[in-house]
Amino acid sequence: MERWSPGYLLYFKIWFFQIIVMKTNIKSINLILLLFILLSFALALVNFFHFRSLWLDEASLALNIVNKPIKELLKPLDYDQVAPIGFLMVEKGFSSIFGNTDWSLRIFPLLLFFPSVYLMYKLALIIFREKSFALFAAAFFSLSYYPLYYSTEVKQYMGDVFISLIITISTLMFSKTDGKKYWVFYALIGIISVWFSNISVILLFSSGLYFLYQNRKKKQNYLGVIKVLGSWVISFFCYYILFVYNHPSQQYMVEYWSNANAFLPKNILSMEFILALYTKLIELIKLFHYRLFIIFILISILGFFFLLRKRIEILFIIIFPIILHLILSYLKLYPFHGRLIFYQYPFLIFIFVSCFFQFYTLLKPKFQPIAIYLLLIPLLLNILNLFHNNNFPFEKEEIKQSLSQLNTDLEDGDKIYIYHSSIRPFTFYKAKYPKLAGMDNNNIIWGESNIENWPKDNDIFENNNGDIWILLSHIRSPKRQDEVKYIMDLFLQNDFKIVEEHKYKGSSVYKAAKIE
């Protein structure tokens, strides 16, 4: 027993710790972080090949892409949809090559995900000047919930992230160079970005100010600066006149986002304005999609400003786009809400990483490799968040499963009532299911309303004595389950009984039979 006395145990702990310190090296840590990035690529592919259903907004945009010829995509879209022209053209190209499927429309967002991870690495390397922290920033981004989710969303939001990163990196790289050939690339990046991302204007305005600041003492470069920024302005002006000015959906969008509280109140001295600003801060933090990170973020803000107190240009390039977006929200020019602020997530990650980086720089060199292993904890938490409650691969409104059930069980003479929010996904997919594609339109009842004005749909019970299938997805009522119950009760009150029900993630189908 003497050999395990406290003295020997203390000696063993010191020896073990020394071995760990000696054996740990930055290369092995970097390899582990790189493996995490490769894991995220594998998860993105698994998510893609899961082939989840298009949800309402995706289906609304997808119907425009697959049904309209190219020249019609240059005009205002149906269903109050808005998307950058460049994004629409690329999506149309993929649908033309691979067919009008949901997966063909998801290729472009997926392809944007991979270089976005690399751009995260490059930008983090510029900011922190440490390869390990650059790899960590890229790994954290790539394993986060929303980047993986939007990598298979038939929307432009992954493109927004890609554009924001490439504009920011090019600004930091080219603003200090004198070579005209580099400025040509910089000008082209801004010119093209306008046509592929609606938020590019925010990043270009911020970058333009920084570009002017960096070249303020180089009087001989004034003409070059004017050419670069002028080309951006001309590109934006052309895009605005052709596709934004007097857009027929503008009023609808303003009302929609006003109801969603996506704009700041006018009275900046009111408590309402202060509470709205607080709400916007919370929306930014929610991009991490994991409550545990909130504490890290609040602590990281102090570390971030301490780290960059002597690098004001980095502070400006990361913070100013957020401030500018808030100003646009105040002016009701661009909403500050949810997916529309997703492009700011990389910048929030840099604030988050700065907390770890500041702790790292305070340690002695021999302990720094050990400290970097702490970076694995947030990565593991991100993975845990992905698989929490069996949430991965992602599913949202799995109407394909409901349609497959209908295609199996539908009998001659049966009718289908399609809830109004299910109409567009149903329209996109019905050709894939023989029984649904061959249905007589007289046997399809198109819903027009929800719980607030349901009586408009009471005619579904008139002259319908056979079985009626009820297809539901994207229930809009604030009390969603109450609305499903309300619909079922209406059938029961009109001498129907529910004889089958099949529930899936975000979608369900019921069979109502007439009581004899």
Side-chain angles (χ1 to χ4, degrees):
M1 295 295 295
E2 292 182 357
R3 62 182 298 184
W4 297 108
S5 63
Y8 282 106
L9 287 175
L10 178 61
Y11 175 79
F12 174 77
K13 290 178 181 179
I14 294 174
W15 172 81
F16 182 75
F17 183 72
Q18 288 177 336
I19 291 295
I20 293 294
V21 171
M22 292 173 61
K23 294 296 182 181
T24 301
N25 59 77
I26 296 298
K27 288 185 178 181
S28 62
I29 295 171
N30 290 349
L31 178 60
I32 294 173
L33 293 172
L34 181 59
L35 290 176
F36 272 102
I37 294 175
L38 295 177
L39 173 63
S40 72
F41 289 174
L43 292 176
L45 291 173
V46 168
N47 190 42
F48 176 84
F49 288 108
H50 183 62
F51 300 126
R52 68 175 175 86
S53 302
L54 296 175
W55 70 287
L56 175 63
D57 279 12
E58 287 182 290
S60 300
L61 186 60
L63 286 173
N64 281 282
I65 295 170
V66 302
N67 291 336
K68 290 178 177 289
I70 290 179
K71 65 178 181 180
E72 292 296 320
L73 290 175
L74 301 176
K75 300 178 181 179
L77 304 177
D78 297 334
Y79 314 123
D80 296 308
Q81 292 295 299
V82 177
I85 298 303
F87 174 82
L88 293 174
M89 294 297 105
V90 175
E91 288 284 19
K92 185 65 177 180
F94 278 112
S95 68
S96 299
I97 296 171
F98 298 106
N100 297 330
T101 62
D102 50 14
W103 64 264
S104 68
L105 297 175
R106 288 186 169 132
I107 294 175
F108 187 40
L110 180 67
L111 292 179
L112 289 172
F113 170 77
F114 300 121
S116 294
V117 175
Y118 174 74
L119 292 175
M120 276 292 296
Y121 166 77
K122 291 294 292 185
L123 184 54
L125 196 59
I126 294 173
I127 293 175
F128 299 107
R129 300 167 184 170
E130 287 281 349
K131 186 175 182 180
S132 297
F133 283 88
L135 286 170
F136 170 71
F140 187 89
F141 170 82
S142 62
L143 287 170
S144 295
Y145 180 92
Y146 285 116
L148 281 171
Y149 174 80
Y150 285 120
S151 70
T152 54
E153 177 95 338
V154 186
K155 284 286 188 173
Q156 63 269 27
Y157 307 122
M158 184 52 67
D160 289 342
V161 167
F162 176 81
I163 293 296
S164 68
L165 287 170
I166 201 166
I167 289 175
T168 304
I169 291 174
S170 59
T171 298
L172 294 174
M173 290 178 60
F174 298 149
S175 59
K176 297 181 180 180
T177 61
D178 295 323
K180 294 182 179 180
K181 63 178 181 178
Y182 296 112
W183 283 16
V184 170
F185 287 118
Y186 190 39
L188 287 174
I189 287 172
I191 292 170
I192 296 172
S193 296
V194 170
W195 299 77
F196 280 85
S197 174
N198 293 332
I199 58 87
S200 62
V201 177
I202 297 175
L203 275 299
L204 290 174
F205 187 86
S206 302
S207 297
L209 290 179
Y210 177 73
F211 193 52
L212 285 171
Y213 172 78
Q214 287 293 332
N215 289 274
R216 68 192 186 283
K217 296 180 180 179
K218 303 175 183 178
K219 296 182 180 180
Q220 69 274 18
N221 288 337
Y222 277 163
L223 182 60
V225 171
I226 292 173
K227 287 181 179 179
V228 171
L229 301 186
S231 67
W232 294 357
V233 172
I234 293 172
S235 180
F236 171 71
F237 180 78
C238 293
Y239 188 88
Y240 179 82
I241 294 298
L242 291 173
F243 305 112
V244 179
Y245 182 70
N246 282 338
H247 195 285
S249 297
Q250 182 176 358
Q251 186 59 38
Y252 167 81
M253 286 296 177
V254 170
E255 292 178 2
Y256 176 86
W257 289 114
S258 295
N259 293 333
N261 298 317
F263 300 121
L264 289 172
K266 289 298 182 183
N267 186 359
I268 61 175
L269 300 178
S270 66
M271 182 58 67
E272 181 186 10
F273 182 87
I274 295 174
L275 291 175
L277 272 181
Y278 170 77
T279 302
K280 302 308 176 193
L281 174 63
I282 297 301
E283 286 189 49
L284 284 171
I285 294 176
K286 284 182 178 179
L287 291 174
F288 285 88
H289 200 264
Y290 200 46
R291 293 180 180 178
L292 187 60
F293 288 127
I294 294 177
I295 299 175
F296 284 114
I297 288 299
L298 295 177
I299 296 174
S300 297
I301 291 175
L302 296 176
F304 174 72
F305 285 104
F306 182 77
L307 170 68
L308 301 178
R309 66 193 185 280
K310 294 183 179 180
R311 298 178 65 193
I312 192 66
E313 73 279 5
I314 302 297
L315 182 66
F316 179 85
I317 214 75
I318 289 178
I319 298 299
F320 190 72
I322 298 176
I323 297 174
L324 183 57
H325 196 153
L326 287 171
I327 294 173
L328 293 177
S329 170
Y330 176 77
L331 298 174
K332 290 190 174 183
L333 294 176
Y334 200 75
F336 194 102
H337 187 82
R339 55 192 180 271
L340 299 182
I341 61 174
F342 171 57
Y343 74 93
Q344 296 175 358
Y345 186 55
F347 305 131
L348 297 178
I349 290 177
F350 295 135
I351 296 176
F352 175 59
V353 176
S354 67
C355 181
F356 289 92
F357 185 74
Q358 187 59 41
F359 173 73
Y360 170 83
T361 56
L362 295 175
L363 295 175
K364 294 181 178 179
K366 68 178 182 178
F367 295 115
Q368 287 180 342
I370 298 297
I372 292 182
Y373 272 120
L374 294 176
L375 298 178
L376 301 182
I377 297 175
L379 297 181
L380 294 174
L381 289 175
N382 255 350
I383 296 173
L384 177 64
N385 183 42
L386 286 176
F387 290 93
H388 182 63
N389 292 329
N390 297 317
N391 198 40
F392 190 88
F394 300 126
E395 293 183 343
K396 190 164 186 177
E397 296 172 9
E398 293 309 307
I399 198 170
K400 284 196 291 187
Q401 296 183 36
S402 293
L403 296 179
S404 180
Q405 190 69 49
L406 280 173
N407 192 64
T408 300
D409 295 344
L410 199 66
E411 298 179 359
D412 291 341
D414 288 353
K415 294 188 176 183
I416 304 178
Y417 171 80
I418 304 176
Y419 183 69
H420 67 105
S421 294
S422 307
I423 292 176
R424 294 170 198 171
F426 174 84
T427 302
F428 182 87
Y429 283 118
K430 72 173 184 177
K432 315 295 182 185
Y433 301 92
K435 288 185 179 180
L436 301 180
M439 281 194 72
D440 189 331
N441 282 335
N442 292 326
N443 288 335
I444 300 178
I445 306 167
W446 306 98
E448 298 179 356
S449 55
N450 57 12
I451 196 171
E452 285 80 14
N453 51 3
W454 182 270
K456 290 181 180 179
D457 285 339
N458 273 349
D459 59 351
I460 68 174
F461 305 111
E462 297 178 3
N463 302 318
N464 286 325
N465 296 318
D467 295 342
I468 301 178
W469 290 88
I470 308 161
L471 177 64
L472 303 175
S473 66
H474 198 80
I475 303 296
R476 290 185 175 180
S477 170
K479 298 180 180 179
R480 298 186 177 189
Q481 292 306 313
D482 289 349
E483 179 157 9
V484 174
K485 183 178 182 303
Y486 181 80
I487 294 172
M488 298 301 106
D489 286 345
L490 279 177
F491 276 86
L492 296 177
Q493 293 165 15
N494 285 272
D495 299 325
F496 282 84
K497 63 179 179 180
I498 306 301
V499 295
E500 284 187 44
E501 63 177 48
H502 306 276
K503 297 181 180 180
Y504 308 100
K505 182 67 175 288
S507 178
S508 55
V509 61
Y510 303 82
K511 183 178 182 180
K514 189 72 173 181
I515 299 175
E516 299 296 336

